[in-house]
Amino acid sequence: MLQMLLIMTGFAILIGILWFLTMRATPKKGMMRVIEHICMGIILCYLCSAFLSPLGIHFVDGPISALSAGYLGLPGVALSAIAQLWP
């Protein structure tokens, strides 16, 4: 359990550093904007997964779901949940 907490903390710090660097480099332009959306999507997917897992709602973990959640927000997370249920 402690190892998982350390891994999640490391990823959170890495995402925070990447977000800070993307905002300092060229805000709102090009590839850095995509990286910012992916980081925000990862955070959003993780938070929704953490809060909705006890209710039995699970999300697909992957770059496509993070990208859709980053660009679309909560509708992107809902799209990821629907993709999990799709046969």
Side-chain angles (χ1 to χ4, degrees):
M1 185 65 178
L2 182 60
Q3 290 176 347
M4 185 61 138
L5 181 63
L6 289 174
I7 290 171
M8 293 306 293
T9 304
F11 280 131
I13 290 170
L14 180 65
I15 289 171
I17 289 170
L18 283 174
W19 180 78
F20 178 74
L21 290 175
T22 58
M23 292 307 292
R24 295 285 296 164
T26 53
K28 314 291 185 212
K29 290 189 179 180
M31 190 63 168
M32 295 300 163
R33 183 75 173 157
V34 173
I35 292 172
E36 177 187 350
H37 280 295
I38 290 173
C39 291
M40 295 307 288
I42 290 169
I43 293 169
L44 187 61
C45 283
Y46 174 73
L47 289 176
C48 287
S49 178
F51 287 120
L52 296 176
S53 292
L55 298 176
I57 301 172
H58 300 285
F59 298 98
V60 177
D61 295 328
I64 302 298
S65 63
L67 190 62
S68 69
Y71 274 103
L72 299 175
L74 289 177
V77 174
L79 181 67
S80 174
I82 291 171
Q84 172 70 24
L85 297 174
W86 198 267

